[in-house]
Amino acid sequence: MTLLLTEEEVDGLLDMASTLPVVEDVFRAHGEGRATNHARRRVALPTGGLHVMFAGAPGMDAMGLKAYSVSSSGARFYTMLFHPESGELLAILRSDRLGQLRTGASTGVAAKYLARDGASTLGLYGAGWQAESQLEAVAAVKSLSRVIVYSRKEESRKEFARKLGQRIGLEVETTDQPEEPAAQDIVVTATSSKDPVLKGEWLSPGAHVTAAGSNSLLKSEVDREVIRRASFVCVDSKEELGLEAGDLLASLETGGLLPEAVFELGSVVCGHVEGRRSQEDITLFASQGLALQDMAAARLVYDRARERGVGREVDF
């Protein structure tokens, strides 16, 4: 029997506190070679597009895929979860909230392993849906003393500050000066901008940067100076280079960054690669997202749904 779960049901079963450890675990499994992940594949049509990503790992007892469509009416996200031994289709989930949480959790994992000791301030670019989970995740792994957010619209950043300040129990400052967030210990970009919102010249020594808003070769949230100044650059998966990592494309094409100098975050999590070597290093995580993260979160949702009797069963 296959379990069907709505967006509202998934939202009620998943939160950042539970998403962070399962995402960290799959980064570790990926770094140790105990998981299979394939980068997003796309179908583009004049009226819309279809995006599919798939993965599996014995350790999380799941394999599956996420597919989502994008059109003028918005995006629709679905995850299909299979049992790795029987091949049974365990569940079909609506997964917009799931994707938001696992994207934020990836940023949290990166901050945990790459931010310098004692990092306590966060600068955030973007005040939308995805920016919410970015802040939640960093606040969950670091003891933050200051958060400052910049976005193009004053109204949106002030509403974001009010809402997220209540959620994390810390005042969230706003600014109309784009260089201010870059002066913090941890800097996160979560925008829809096609052009850089973060300039490398603004960064302070020792900063950790996560660029989380671009998963296209046509978009870059950080300029080449960010990459030039970074002592360590990593991605979710090196398979993404040339497919999705728009933040790195210009530097890769001009030789400012060599493919051999780009690492995978999972290798840092499992201890195979040393990320930060000094308190003065600038580190960069260009986040594109792994299907493994979706599968880990989906498996957690499925197990909780079974325990709590949530969802509807369908016999295909």
Side-chain angles (χ1 to χ4, degrees):
M1 301 289 281
T2 301
L3 191 65
L4 302 182
L5 292 165
T6 67
E7 191 70 55
E8 292 74 16
E9 288 166 339
V10 171
D11 188 22
L13 294 165
L14 198 61
D15 54 30
M16 185 56 72
S18 56
T19 306
L20 270 164
V22 298
V23 168
E24 182 176 354
D25 285 346
V26 293
F27 269 120
R28 182 175 294 107
H30 191 237
E32 293 174 344
R34 296 184 290 107
T36 297
N37 188 90
H38 289 286
R40 204 173 338 243
R41 296 296 187 268
R42 306 175 189 270
V43 174
L45 300 177
T47 55
L50 178 66
H51 312 258
V52 182
M53 48 205 299
F54 44 101
M60 63 183 180
D61 202 26
M63 60 184 183
L65 62 89
K66 181 172 79 173
Y68 61 99
S69 62
V70 178
S71 69
S72 59
S73 62
R76 294 174 174 82
F77 298 83
Y78 304 88
T79 295
M80 298 177 68
L81 188 69
F82 295 85
H83 194 280
E85 293 184 9
S86 69
E88 178 188 2
L89 177 58
L90 298 175
I92 300 175
L93 300 72
R94 287 294 298 267
S95 45
D96 192 9
R97 173 65 169 157
L98 183 150
Q100 183 208 29
L101 283 168
R102 68 82 157 149
T103 301
S106 299
T107 294
V109 173
K112 177 179 177 179
Y113 284 88
L114 293 175
R116 65 184 176 184
D117 294 339
S120 64
T121 62
L122 169 65
L124 180 61
Y125 291 83
W129 166 254
Q130 287 293 345
E132 293 183 14
S133 65
Q134 302 292 313
L135 174 50
E136 280 188 273
V138 176
V141 301
K142 291 292 181 181
S143 180
L144 294 179
S145 61
R146 186 189 189 200
V147 177
I148 184 167
V149 59
Y150 168 82
S151 70
R152 290 176 297 175
K153 297 180 180 179
E154 180 181 11
E155 182 179 347
S156 63
R157 63 178 178 260
K158 287 189 173 181
E159 173 58 22
F160 177 91
R162 183 198 63 77
K163 178 179 178 182
L164 271 294
Q166 291 178 350
R167 188 179 302 176
I168 67 170
L170 178 69
E171 179 186 0
V172 176
E173 301 174 40
T174 66
T175 180
D176 60 0
Q177 302 299 312
E179 65 274 13
E180 286 193 57
Q184 310 311 308
D185 300 330
I186 300 168
V187 183
V188 176
T189 61
T191 74
S192 59
S193 177
K194 292 183 178 180
D195 301 312
V197 296
L198 174 62
K199 295 183 179 181
E201 65 188 63
W202 297 338
L203 293 170
S204 298
H208 166 67
V209 178
T210 288
S214 167
N215 61 9
S216 166
L217 290 177
L218 303 177
K219 297 167 60 179
S220 177
E221 293 183 297
V222 303
D223 70 2
R224 279 187 279 184
E225 183 67 7
V226 171
I227 294 150
R228 189 194 69 79
R229 294 189 64 192
S231 303
F232 183 80
V233 177
C234 66
V235 292
D236 304 87
S237 169
K238 291 192 71 169
E239 186 187 5
E240 297 159 351
L241 299 181
L243 291 175
E244 298 193 351
D247 289 304
L248 306 181
L249 181 62
S251 295
L252 288 167
E253 287 191 333
T254 58
L257 177 68
L258 299 178
E260 292 79 8
V262 180
F263 298 89
E264 294 182 340
L265 181 57
S267 297
V268 179
V269 174
C270 74
H272 289 173
V273 172
E274 184 179 11
R276 174 174 295 278
R277 297 188 178 186
S278 81
Q279 289 286 82
E280 300 301 301
D281 281 353
I282 291 175
T283 57
L284 170 65
F285 172 46
S287 175
Q288 312 300 314
L290 294 177
L292 277 170
Q293 299 156 4
D294 294 290
M295 295 311 112
R299 180 73 212 201
L300 176 60
V301 168
Y302 173 77
D303 290 341
R304 286 183 168 183
R306 286 298 190 193
E307 291 170 2
R308 302 175 190 181
V310 176
R312 286 147 305 288
E313 290 187 331
V314 174
D315 186 356
F316 282 122

